[in-house]
């Protein structure tokens, strides 16, 4: 089916399902939830409430950038400040799986779950794609059963419906639809970014101080490698520290790892052979961040490494 037909048929389907009711959706700024937001808005107008949940773990300026992109498209996005909830949930947790679990739980049973329960919306629009369904069935990903994740018993919550307009598409199809819907290329071809956001790039406990460091390093890496053509690039803050010298004084400083990979679907990856002067420039900028005195480039392929560190 061509993109225009797909868009028209999904808008029709959403209208038919929702009737004169209202719907709600959470926008992360990624391509899937962005496409769902535009389709839903075209179908329902202001009967769709779109929220962006600020979990304190986003990149520099990200909440504002997402709101601005959609404002330009005439779609209002409500920012929900949930920074405290997420930071509190992560306090004291160093184990990767415990951290991921705390974030999922805070999102679904906490912040977004409450929003959905307190709203009058009877429909939830969600950006599940075909790959998510396949990976769930194959046991690769944790379940994508949104109602269960929200702590909603479908029987008790009689009347609740989850609409998944992208469930027949893979990522390349979603990107095509995004372009056809007029989403800017930064959104349609956005680099992958993990659900746990910067928490996936801090080894050990997540604190506001560490988030500030990894956020600055991320901004540098993303700026320097924007034209690299690589599949994904990122910065990671290690839990270890190293001795260095700054202003003629010994300093026990933080260590940032830069990762940049070539891949087609993130299942396998190779480190990008970046030019030495690019690496040197990134290193100079990263060790200029106060408290950081080492910058390393990760050469490890996946497997055995994963892309993210957490
Ligand atoms: P790993 O670290 O597993 O990452 O090699 C593979 C790809 O998936 C992204 N990633 C995630 N994406 N939710 C997501 O939506 C997550 O929890 C998550 N964890 C990792 C990662 O950035 C890479 O592109």
């Amino acid at each position: 089916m061509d993109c225009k037909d797909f868009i028209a048929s999904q808008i029709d389907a959403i209208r038919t399902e929702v009737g004169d009711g209202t719907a709600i959706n959470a926008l992360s700024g990624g391509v899937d939830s962005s496409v769902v937001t535009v389709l839903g808005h075209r179908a329902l107008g202001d009967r769709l409430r779109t929220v962006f949940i600020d979990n304190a773990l986003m990149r520099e300026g990200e909440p504002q950038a997402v709101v601005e992109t959609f404002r330009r498209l005439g779609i209002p996005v409500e920012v929900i400040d949930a920074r405290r909830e997420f930071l509190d949930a992560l306090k004291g947790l160093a184990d990767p799986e415990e951290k991921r679990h705390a974030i999922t739980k805070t999102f679904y049973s906490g912040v977004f779950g409450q929003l959905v329960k307190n709203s009058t919306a009877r429909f939830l629009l969600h950006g599940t794609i075909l790959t998510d369904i396949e990976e769930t069935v194959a046991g690769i990903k944790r379940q994508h059963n949104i109602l269960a994740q929200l702590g909603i018993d479908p029987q008790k919550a009689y009347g609740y419906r989850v609409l998944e307009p992208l469930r027949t598409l893979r990522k390349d199809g979603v990107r095509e639809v995004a372009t056809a819907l007029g989403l800017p290329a930064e959104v349609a071809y956005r680099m992958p970014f993990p659900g746990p956001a910067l928490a996936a790039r801090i080894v050990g406990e997540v604190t506001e101080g560490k988030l500030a460091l990894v956020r600055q390093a991320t901004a540098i890496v993303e700026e320097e490698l924007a034209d690299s053509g690589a599949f994904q690039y990122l910065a990671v803050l290690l839990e270890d520290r190293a001795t260095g010298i700054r202003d003629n004084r010994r300093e026990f400083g933080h260590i940032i790892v830069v990762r940049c990979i070539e891949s087609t679907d993130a299942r396998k990856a190779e480190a990008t052979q970046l030019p030495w002067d690019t690496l040197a420039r990134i290193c100079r900028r990263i060790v200029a961040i106060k408290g950081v005195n080492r910058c390393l480039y990760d050469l490890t392929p996946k497997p055995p490494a994963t892309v993210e560190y957490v």
Side-chain angles (χ1 to χ4, degrees):
M1 192 193 290
D2 104 328
C3 264
K4 283 214 172 92
D5 293 345
F6 176 86
I7 291 168
S9 70
Q10 290 310 317
I11 289 175
D12 258 6
I14 296 170
R15 272 193 196 134
T16 309
E17 292 271 9
V18 177
D20 56 7
T22 56
I24 187 166
N25 80 310
L27 169 67
S28 69
V31 63
D32 304 340
S33 65
S34 293
V35 167
V36 165
T37 300
V38 179
L39 285 175
H41 191 81
R42 290 217 185 149
L44 305 172
D46 60 10
R47 285 184 296 125
L48 173 66
R49 179 181 177 201
T50 297
V51 298
F52 176 96
I53 295 180
D54 183 354
N55 59 8
L57 311 172
M58 307 310 284
R59 287 166 289 187
E60 204 168 282
E62 200 160 11
Q64 300 84 328
V66 173
V67 170
E68 177 57 22
T69 298
F70 281 84
R71 193 193 61 75
R72 278 198 225 115
L73 295 167
I75 299 177
V77 176
E78 203 179 317
V79 177
I80 307 291
D81 181 357
R83 288 177 293 180
R84 207 58 273 154
E85 282 93 327
F86 283 89
L87 290 170
D88 285 349
L90 286 164
K91 206 167 269 171
L93 302 184
D95 178 77
E97 283 305 303
E98 283 180 17
K99 281 158 69 177
R100 282 175 167 267
H101 179 67
I103 293 166
T104 309
K105 193 164 158 246
T106 306
F107 183 86
Y108 286 109
S109 1
V111 182
F112 190 53
Q114 280 310 320
L115 267 178
V116 173
K117 282 177 199 153
N118 296 342
S119 82
T120 53
R122 283 282 163 269
F123 296 86
L124 201 72
L125 262 59
H126 195 257
T128 319
I129 67 171
L130 185 55
T131 325
D132 296 331
I133 297 167
E134 286 170 343
E135 290 187 349
T136 303
V137 172
I140 296 168
K141 267 194 193 166
R142 259 197 253 170
Q143 49 136 337
H144 273 270
N145 182 342
I146 294 305
L147 285 177
Q149 279 177 334
L150 286 170
I152 293 169
D153 175 343
Q155 263 177 336
K156 276 195 209 152
Y158 171 73
Y160 252 115
R161 292 283 313 277
V162 177
L163 306 182
E164 297 174 320
L166 312 182
R167 58 183 306 135
T168 57
L169 300 181
R170 292 182 195 285
K171 201 59 121 189
D172 51 346
V174 181
R175 294 197 199 283
E176 272 179 48
V177 173
T179 307
L181 284 171
L183 279 160
E186 310 94 79
V187 178
Y189 290 90
R190 202 175 190 244
M191 173 167 73
F193 189 64
L198 296 179
R201 297 170 181 181
I202 294 173
V203 182
E205 187 183 0
V206 174
T207 62
E208 285 181 80
K210 289 186 192 172
L211 279 165
L213 287 177
V214 84
R215 188 173 284 125
Q216 285 177 74
T218 302
I220 293 168
V221 170
E222 291 195 353
E223 190 187 316
E224 293 288 347
L225 298 179
D227 300 326
S228 65
F231 177 82
Q232 197 172 0
Y233 34 87
L234 50 128
V236 177
L237 175 65
L238 296 186
E239 199 171 20
D240 279 342
R241 293 200 184 203
T243 299
I245 307 168
R246 196 184 298 270
D247 303 328
N248 288 324
R249 286 210 174 157
R250 282 173 70 87
E251 173 192 69
F252 200 42
H254 290 286
I255 308 171
I256 291 281
V257 175
V258 175
R259 187 141 172 76
C260 179
I261 56 161
E262 303 302 316
S263 180
T264 48
D265 56 10
R267 288 194 212 187
K268 286 185 179 171
E270 292 288 337
T272 306
Q273 295 194 24
L274 290 171
W276 194 259
D277 55 350
T278 305
L279 286 169
R281 200 170 51 242
I282 292 173
C283 176
R284 264 199 311 278
R285 291 186 61 189
I286 283 183
V287 296
I289 300 171
K290 197 166 177 293
V292 177
N293 67 11
R294 304 257 166 160
C295 176
L296 317 178
Y297 186 52
D298 186 345
L299 299 180
T300 328
K302 174 182 178 178
T306 53
V307 175
E308 306 293 344
Y309 272 49
V310 168

